[in-house]
Amino acid sequence: MSDSSRDTAEGAGWGASERGEYPRLMPHQTEKISWLDPRMLWAARNGVLASWFGDPTGEVRARWAAQRAAAGAPADRVVRRDDPDRFSFLVIGDTGEGGDPQYAVVPGLLEEGRDTAFAVLASDVIYPVGSADDYGPKFFQPYRDYQAPIYAIPGNHDWYEDLAGFMRVFCDDAPPLPPAPAPRPLGRAWLRSLLWHRPRPGDGARLDEARKLRSSPAQRAVQPGPYWAIDAGPVRIVGIDTGLLGTIDAEQGAWLREVSRDPRPKILVTGSPLYVDGEHHPCPIDGGGTVDDVVRDPAHRYVAVIGGDIHNYQRYPVRLDDGRTLQYVVAGGGGAFTHATHTIPRVDVAGVTEADFRCYPLRGDSLAFYSALYGRRTRLRRFFALTEAEAAAVVAQRLGIGPTRAPGAPARVTRRMRWVAGLLGTGRRPDRGKRFRLPVRKAYQSLFSPGSATYSPPFFKSFLRIDVSPEAIRLRCLAATGQRAQEVAPPVEDEVTIPLT
């Protein structure tokens, strides 16, 4: 196992390391997605339309569910596997941009995944809008050599074409839904329908050819719909679909409560994390209650919640009133642009403090990454660019914490470093900067982070390996930087063991 980013700067991928061999896995031509391109934002407009004119996701999801039930999918939506009591699986979140950062994850994933029983893609399988023809270079090609089944839950981007591509790939080539009844003229639904993005004619014509890349019977996975449960060994893994706006409808909520009554220990996989960036987002259920209410019920025996959507790694060990500790994890580092971690303020939420919290990339590495990026883009490198040591030092000062990286003389914090940290939205202690902290962080999530795509290492990508036994679950976050050293031996950036007895 190689050094991690918590050990050395080289372990984080900084320095003159040998570039990885992942480019040989890539197609000759790859689409480079820019979220600063107005055409891309226009194609992905359905989320905004749903928030303005009403969200149709629940109704469309119910129609997909009815179609799959008519096709013979199990009524309880449970996939029953014959895994032994001791097995392992992978979780990869927010994968499908199809560029260097996604493919840089693959060598380490194949190395760590050789003996795993299956993998789960957690949110946003395909960017920008979940088109069926994008599955070739963004799903079948990168994971062609992973010799086990892959299950998935959709993210908001997969819903931008009403989930048509996702259902064809993961749900036994589900046929298109028949057209919905026309909405009442001049109503909100009618206005929404006028602007709604739909699949282009002929989308999916290349899908049959792409399927040949993962055609082995051992790689085949059929799931009953966009939400499901998997019984594997001693655990039940529950995957929920949070649609366009990060909520679930009443029908799925009733199913979640029912499937959670099974006595096995459970892991929830969701498209919207319940704890993220130092905040609690319990995920409302239409008709009342929240997903977190279901998860916290001691009768349901959840031990971990893993959410995608945010493109980094975070972990919050929340101690509940009944004495249990639930591990809330953000796992969205599978290939899309990197959401900043340096904007996360000093953590103090639900009893979780900075001493308990873990993230990847480290805040200092995130700030160094962004300072170099915007130094290049503004042509003000001499002002903006911070070394990883400088970035770590100014982050530690602003948050009032010790250095995260192991030894080395700390850099002296200068006025320039403080200016750069402030301009790039670096987090503060909870008792400072309350007025501006939230707007700056939201601006980074919606404006600056989507423009952070880069095509040279380090990428700060990650995936999870979860080892299950009757006694415990071991969850590890493994890094992918794009450098050769981390391909050969993916470093463990975080590890926690969850007892089951």
Side-chain angles (χ1 to χ4, degrees):
M1 196 68 66
S2 59
D3 285 347
S4 75
S5 69
R6 292 178 174 269
D7 299 317
T8 64
E10 292 75 16
W14 298 113
S17 302
E18 178 187 0
R19 187 165 181 162
E21 297 183 1
Y22 68 86
R24 64 182 173 80
L25 305 172
M26 301 176 66
H28 294 301
Q29 291 184 331
T30 58
E31 176 190 25
K32 292 185 177 181
I33 292 177
S34 171
W35 294 106
L36 302 179
D37 185 342
R39 294 170 299 177
M40 201 70 67
L41 296 175
W42 175 245
R45 63 188 177 271
N46 285 2
V48 175
L49 294 175
S51 65
W52 287 353
F53 300 115
D55 185 2
T57 302
E59 183 271 331
V60 177
R61 187 189 290 119
R63 294 170 63 209
W64 280 122
Q67 185 205 76
R68 301 319 302 146
D76 61 2
R77 309 178 195 282
V78 177
V79 177
R80 291 175 172 86
R81 296 177 50 87
D82 59 356
D83 300 297
D85 281 351
R86 299 177 187 276
F87 75 99
S88 304
F89 68 100
L90 302 176
V91 178
I92 321 144
D94 298 87
T95 53
E97 283 199 357
D100 290 59
Q102 180 180 6
Y103 279 86
V105 176
V106 175
L109 182 149
L110 295 176
E111 179 68 25
E112 285 290 329
R114 284 179 299 174
D115 62 341
T116 53
F118 57 88
V120 175
L121 300 186
S123 183
D124 290 340
V125 180
I126 299 295
Y127 295 92
V129 291
S131 300
D133 276 336
D134 283 342
Y135 273 86
K138 299 177 183 180
F139 173 73
F140 290 104
Q141 174 92 12
Y143 310 122
R144 63 185 299 176
D145 294 325
Y146 179 66
Q147 296 301 314
I150 299 177
Y151 304 94
I153 57 167
N156 57 313
H157 286 266
D158 301 303
W159 268 101
Y160 288 160
E161 291 190 350
D162 291 337
L163 215 61
F166 180 97
M167 296 297 292
R168 289 188 64 179
V169 170
F170 294 104
C171 300
D172 205 20
D173 208 14
L177 289 174
R184 180 172 55 85
L186 304 181
R188 296 174 70 205
W190 179 79
L191 290 170
R192 183 183 65 219
S193 70
L194 295 180
L195 299 171
W196 199 251
H197 172 85
R198 294 178 176 85
R200 63 185 181 275
D203 182 47
R206 299 191 294 272
L207 195 51
D208 287 341
E209 187 66 23
R211 290 183 204 272
K212 296 176 182 178
L213 297 171
R214 281 185 52 83
S215 59
S216 163
Q219 295 173 309
R220 181 169 169 77
V222 175
Q223 60 189 58
Y227 60 94
W228 41 257
I230 298 173
D231 285 347
V235 300
R236 171 169 282 188
I237 302 156
V238 179
I240 60 172
D241 167 21
T242 55
L244 282 170
L245 301 182
T247 63
I248 67 173
D249 59 274
E251 180 181 328
Q252 185 181 181
W255 170 86
L256 175 62
R257 293 182 177 101
E258 181 62 32
V259 82
S260 297
R261 294 191 180 102
D262 184 272
R264 274 170 276 222
K266 297 174 193 68
I267 299 170
L268 183 74
V269 184
T270 168
S272 299
L274 303 189
Y275 280 89
V276 60
D277 293 347
E279 299 173 351
H280 184 209
H281 299 272
C283 188
I285 299 173
D286 288 352
T290 69
V291 170
D292 206 25
D293 293 337
V294 177
V295 165
R296 288 171 179 252
D297 187 331
H300 295 160
R301 296 195 67 193
Y302 280 92
V303 297
V305 179
I306 301 171
D309 189 51
I310 301 302
H311 306 164
N312 53 45
Y313 172 83
Q314 301 174 42
R315 180 169 65 84
Y316 301 81
V318 176
R319 188 168 178 83
L320 305 181
D321 292 340
D322 60 15
R324 293 176 300 135
T325 296
L326 255 173
Q327 300 292 338
Y328 290 86
V329 175
V330 178
F337 65 84
T338 300
H339 274 125
T341 59
H342 67 266
T343 59
I344 302 172
R346 179 168 171 154
V347 170
D348 184 10
V349 60
V352 178
T353 67
E354 192 64 34
D356 310 311
F357 171 70
R358 294 291 183 272
C359 69
Y360 177 78
L362 299 178
R363 290 184 181 94
D365 289 331
S366 172
L367 179 57
F369 173 89
Y370 273 89
S371 70
L373 176 71
Y374 284 100
R376 291 194 301 271
R377 291 188 175 173
T378 61
R379 299 184 180 181
L380 296 173
R381 296 190 190 190
R382 293 184 63 182
F383 173 73
F384 266 109
L386 303 177
T387 68
E388 62 273 13
E390 290 172 337
V394 73
V395 164
Q397 184 184 84
R398 285 175 70 94
L399 295 180
I401 60 176
T404 309
R405 189 111 70 215
R412 184 176 67 87
V413 177
T414 65
R415 180 178 296 179
R416 179 186 73 89
M417 291 160 58
R418 286 193 289 268
W419 268 98
V420 171
L423 289 171
L424 295 183
T426 306
R428 301 291 295 266
R429 293 181 352 211
D431 58 339
R432 297 190 181 181
K434 291 182 179 179
R435 181 180 302 175
F436 301 106
R437 188 176 70 234
L438 183 61
V440 167
R441 192 163 74 253
K442 295 299 184 185
Y444 249 84
Q445 296 286 32
S446 60
L447 297 175
F448 296 113
S449 284
S452 71
T454 182
Y455 300 96
S456 58
F459 295 122
F460 299 110
K461 300 291 98 186
S462 60
F463 62 96
L464 305 184
R465 177 180 167 123
I466 300 176
D467 304 310
V468 178
S469 74
E471 300 81 31
I473 291 172
R474 182 177 66 160
L475 183 152
R476 288 183 291 164
C477 170
L478 296 123
T481 66
Q483 307 286 24
R484 180 64 177 154
Q486 286 80 38
E487 279 189 353
V488 174
V492 177
E493 289 293 335
D494 186 35
E495 179 174 342
V496 61
T497 298
I498 307 167
L500 298 183
T501 54

